[in-house]
Amino acid sequence: MVKLSAKDYFSSDFKLGILGGGQLGKMLLYETRKFDIRTKVMDASDEAPCKIACNEFVKGSLMDFDAVYDFGKDVDVLTIEIENVNLDALEKLEDEGTKVYPPAKALRTIQNKATQKLFYTDNGIPTAGFSRFAYASEIKDSVENGGLEFPFVWKAAQFGYDGQGVKVVRKMDDLAELPSGECITETMIPFKNELAVIVVRNPSGDVVTYPVVEMEFHPEANQVEYVICPARIDEDIALKARKIALKVSEKIGHIGILAVEMFQTQDDEILVNEVAPRPHNSGHYSIEASYTNQFEQHIRAILNLPLGKTESKVAGIMVNLVGTEGHTGNVVYENIAEIMTMDGVTPHIYGKKQTRPFRKMGHVTIVNKDVDEARRVAQKVKETIKVISK
Amino acid sequence: MVKLSAKDYFSSDFKLGILGGGQLGKMLLYETRKFDIRTKVMDASDEAPCKIACNEFVKGSLMDFDAVYDFGKDVDVLTIEIENVNLDALEKLEDEGTKVYPPAKALRTIQNKATQKLFYTDNGIPTAGFSRFAYASEIKDSVENGGLEFPFVWKAAQFGYDGQGVKVVRKMDDLAELPSGECITETMIPFKNELAVIVVRNPSGDVVTYPVVEMEFHPEANQVEYVICPARIDEDIALKARKIALKVSEKIGHIGILAVEMFQTQDDEILVNEVAPRPHNSGHYSIEASYTNQFEQHIRAILNLPLGKTESKVAGIMVNLVGTEGHTGNVVYENIAEIMTMDGVTPHIYGKKQTRPFRKMGHVTIVNKDVDEARRVAQKVKETIKVISK
């Protein structure tokens, strides 16, 4: 392969491959369009949001060896927008000289949650205690022989997404509802805050971190309501969180974005919860609030371009738009015009035609020079807009 | 046609038509994608940048009655990204109930520069003195009989674009080089500053203005080097400029964006130079600097949604990327990686594969909390990046 220098990416025949054509890919494509980077996208669905806005689209299964391998052979750099892809194909592509970012090895560490947890303990990265089970049925034995105590968190080892594959188990009866496959259980952490830090690394070894963001939970529903940047935490906690995120990044050897989700415990310890090696929900605020948004930053990183400034122009808060309970069918965004009258509000509509309870349909960003004012507007946004069916 | 309310635009069968598929259209499509607004684009070229990222693309001449009419019949709202379109077709579409924004009447006032100048004088809007000529050959007679004195500015009445169709005429010999068609001549204004104000109006009558921007010229080349927001002018001049821009907007009856270019004379009078009824080069800084960028704002306006906040998060400066003299052929962006190391710098590459001297190939935005620091970085950008051929 010809060695590319930065100037060759722009308006050239260079081709970036993206595995997955969903919402994250769609936002990534705003940036490839801005830089005029040619793109080829593969997704299992013909309805994938990326089908338009990429230069070439291929329908194919991301878990299929041949589909991924053939796709990868036709591009210069290969990246992902979802981590559930065929890793054997990525490894073969790497062996044959394709630039795969994040590398298959990093994905192998992350894709399976048991492997990911072992990675933390092997590398001295603080994380909640856990047990590993080949089958969910083994959990019962462990509880009965005193090896595991209620309550604990169950996680499917593979293919969890958007809160799927995670459950709090409080009693024997809850065990019956769990899927049967490989899984882990984790000690429940009574955390003070859930935090996240985005780390970005390019092949030259340049590394930057974004400010710490905070997930604010609904007091009763125990659901993330707001992602807030900057997190309203002490400076020393923020420094500790960024330092731990950098350590994870260094040990895992990713290229591109790594979103590191963490707990701040009651004792102000930082425990790593899990990571995602791609643009992440916790970084969506950056489109409106940051000097360099996470999608542009991912492109800069995987093309080995200089990384951009990660500071914020203004405070940013993200609210997920999820389907309202009791509504299934053709989606309507009730009161969307009303939220657009509010100060610094930008809706992002993902374009799914059908809503169902809790389905992620979009997000809204609220920016303001003052984070507390942004928080007030965010609450008004949440109380006003409703994702319902007609 | 069914009356649409705001919520019906998003993730629905509503279809927005865009006449013209160039760079402005491309940036408009980032926003339709963000809101999941379905789009259909027509352009004469199969290579139009909008061909990807729109939902449907039609190849057709924008000046052809049938092409524009047929295109317009298939959409719910019709807008433009270039003003040279067939106005008879737009009028017929309006008569038949299609929402055409900006309206054909406003476009008719603007499309012909002589009509545009008459509009200013008819409405008491200050503008440079001018004469109107059916043929350029008549200019000579006017000079010879003392009706016109050198130097003056010649402008083609129609189809000027990006500085094409404008010339300074200093002596008899210069006249021979002018195209023969309908034109105007204008008194040369020895201006202190060239300013611009973007006004946005929706069908409900909501109107907002963006801050005044300043075009800074190269001291020798007499070419715009930087578009700077906010303009470094006195507050009372800025207020006067915004007030005059609002008057133009009100009288012209546009919907969507109207970019009003103005001169600040040596005596601090404001004279309107010309207007564009669409997103404009003078508003590109808004993508990175404003709470609501001009493209999102245009979409909000033509869909009769609430208009967004026009203030800036940070100061913004735009530098046009034009082809270097002496270079024609396959484009290379020399030192693009170097400018990406600079503070707050975002390149926008338009994706034209061939460069030629002075061809507009992209732009670079520089943002900073401090406008003077942004200006220093902008100069470094301009001195560093070169658009050349390989």
Side-chain angles (χ1 to χ4, degrees), chain B residues 68-241:
Chain B
V68 172
Y69 177 77
D70 292 345
F71 179 83
K73 283 311 273 183
D74 186 45
V75 301
D76 298 289
V77 170
L78 183 59
T79 192
I80 56 157
E81 61 107 49
I82 180 167
E83 47 272 45
N84 295 327
V85 299
N86 188 295
L87 299 182
D88 294 334
L90 294 193
E91 272 165 5
K92 188 168 158 69
L93 288 163
E94 282 174 346
D95 288 347
E96 292 171 10
T98 302
K99 289 171 175 150
V100 179
Y101 300 137
K105 188 167 169 288
L107 281 170
R108 212 174 270 292
T109 304
I110 292 165
Q111 208 182 61
N112 183 299
K113 291 229 170 97
T115 315
Q116 194 183 133
K117 289 294 275 191
L118 286 171
F119 159 79
Y120 298 137
T121 51
D122 287 352
N123 286 282
I125 293 161
T127 191
F130 74 103
S131 302
R132 186 181 184 177
F133 299 94
Y135 303 97
S137 55
E138 297 172 2
I139 298 177
K140 202 182 165 199
D141 302 338
S142 190
V143 172
E144 285 174 347
N145 68 29
L148 202 58
E149 280 180 23
F150 297 119
F152 57 82
V153 179
W154 165 91
K155 290 182 178 176
Q158 296 212 64
F159 309 126
Y161 188 65
D162 274 355
Q164 303 278 339
V166 179
K167 277 201 172 64
V168 176
V169 180
R170 299 185 187 278
K171 55 187 191 301
M172 238 11 166
D173 286 357
D174 294 347
L175 290 175
E177 291 166 23
L178 300 177
S180 59
E182 188 192 353
C183 59
I184 61 169
T185 62
E186 284 185 341
T187 310
M188 264 189 85
I189 303 297
F191 57 82
K192 203 188 273 184
N193 280 306
E194 192 170 341
L195 308 173
V197 173
I198 285 175
V199 188
V200 196
R201 179 182 296 272
N202 69 15
S204 294
D206 303 329
V207 183
V208 293
T209 59
Y210 278 78
V212 183
V213 301
E214 164 199 355
M215 280 74 156
E216 187 182 323
F217 283 70
H218 187 283
E220 284 101 49
N222 198 36
Q223 211 185 15
V224 177
E225 283 202 295
Y226 309 105
V227 175
I228 302 174
C229 180
R232 297 160 301 178
I233 55 174
D234 290 344
E235 187 53 29
D236 58 328
I237 303 293
L239 274 172
K240 196 195 273 188

Side-chain angles (χ1 to χ4, degrees), chain A residues 109 111-119 130 132-133 156-157 182-184:
Chain A
T109 305
Q111 207 181 61
N112 183 298
K113 291 228 170 99
T115 315
Q116 195 183 134
K117 288 295 274 190
L118 287 172
F119 160 79
F130 73 103
R132 187 180 184 178
F133 299 93
E182 189 194 353
C183 59
I184 61 170

Side-chain angles (χ1 to χ4, degrees), chain A residues 61-365:
Chain A
S61 164
L62 303 178
M63 292 307 296
D64 183 82
F65 179 92
D66 291 332
V68 172
Y69 176 76
D70 291 346
F71 179 82
K73 284 311 274 182
D74 187 44
V75 302
D76 299 288
V77 170
L78 183 59
T79 192
I80 56 156
E81 60 107 50
I82 180 166
E83 47 273 43
N84 296 327
V85 298
N86 188 295
L87 298 183
D88 294 334
L90 294 192
E91 271 165 5
K92 188 168 159 66
L93 288 163
E94 282 175 346
D95 287 346
E96 292 172 10
T98 303
K99 290 170 175 152
V100 179
Y101 301 138
K105 187 166 169 289
L107 281 169
R108 212 174 272 288
T109 305
I110 293 166
Q111 207 181 61
N112 183 298
K113 291 228 170 99
T115 315
Q116 195 183 134
K117 288 295 274 190
L118 287 172
F119 160 79
Y120 298 137
T121 51
D122 286 353
N123 286 282
I125 293 160
T127 191
F130 73 103
S131 304
R132 187 180 184 178
F133 299 93
Y135 303 97
S137 56
E138 297 172 2
I139 298 177
K140 202 181 166 201
D141 303 338
S142 190
V143 172
E144 285 174 348
N145 67 29
L148 201 59
E149 281 181 20
F150 296 120
F152 56 81
V153 179
W154 165 91
K155 290 181 179 177
Q158 297 213 61
F159 310 126
Y161 188 65
D162 275 355
Q164 303 277 338
V166 179
K167 277 199 171 65
V168 175
V169 180
R170 298 183 188 281
K171 53 186 193 302
M172 240 9 168
D173 286 357
D174 293 346
L175 289 175
E177 291 166 23
L178 299 178
S180 59
E182 189 194 353
C183 59
I184 61 170
T185 61
E186 284 184 342
T187 310
M188 264 189 85
I189 303 297
F191 56 83
K192 203 188 270 183
N193 279 305
E194 192 170 339
L195 308 173
V197 172
I198 285 175
V199 188
V200 196
R201 179 182 296 271
N202 69 15
S204 292
D206 303 329
V207 182
V208 293
T209 59
Y210 279 78
V212 183
V213 301
E214 163 198 358
M215 280 73 157
E216 188 182 324
F217 283 70
H218 187 282
E220 284 101 49
N222 198 36
Q223 211 186 14
V224 176
E225 281 203 297
Y226 309 105
V227 175
I228 303 175
C229 180
R232 298 160 301 177
I233 55 174
D234 289 343
E235 186 53 29
D236 59 328
I237 302 294
L239 274 173
K240 196 194 275 188
R242 281 172 104 147
K243 211 172 142 186
I244 289 174
L246 275 171
K247 184 171 179 186
V248 177
S249 159
E250 188 200 322
K251 297 289 181 188
I252 220 161
H254 70 105
I255 299 289
I257 277 182
L258 186 78
V260 183
E261 297 185 270
M262 291 170 280
F263 299 121
Q264 176 189 359
T265 68
Q266 301 296 343
D267 304 329
D268 287 340
E269 289 307 308
I270 297 289
L271 302 180
V272 172
N273 179 20
E274 55 184 64
V275 300
R278 49 159 173 80
H280 189 252
N281 195 263
S282 66
H284 286 354
Y285 80 91
S286 65
I287 297 176
E288 286 81 12
S290 304
Y291 281 95
T292 314
N293 75 56
Q294 66 166 345
F295 300 97
E296 177 181 331
Q297 198 73 280
H298 188 71
I299 299 293
R300 285 181 180 235
I302 62 177
L303 299 189
N304 205 15
L305 292 166
L307 302 179
K309 184 171 167 175
T310 58
E311 284 88 343
S312 296
K313 299 168 190 167
V314 283
I317 299 188
M318 191 216 52
V319 176
N320 283 317
L321 282 184
V322 298
T324 304
E325 265 191 289
H327 286 268
T328 298
N330 292 332
V331 65
V332 173
Y333 298 88
E334 193 73 36
N335 297 329
I336 189 164
E338 282 68 11
I339 71 162
M340 290 174 82
T341 66
M342 299 176 190
D343 190 359
V345 168
T346 306
H348 290 252
I349 303 298
Y350 294 167
K352 300 168 185 171
K353 304 304 174 205
Q354 302 286 314
T355 185
R356 54 174 186 261
F358 308 113
R359 187 175 194 198
K360 212 182 270 182
M361 302 297 286
H363 74 264
V364 180
T365 309

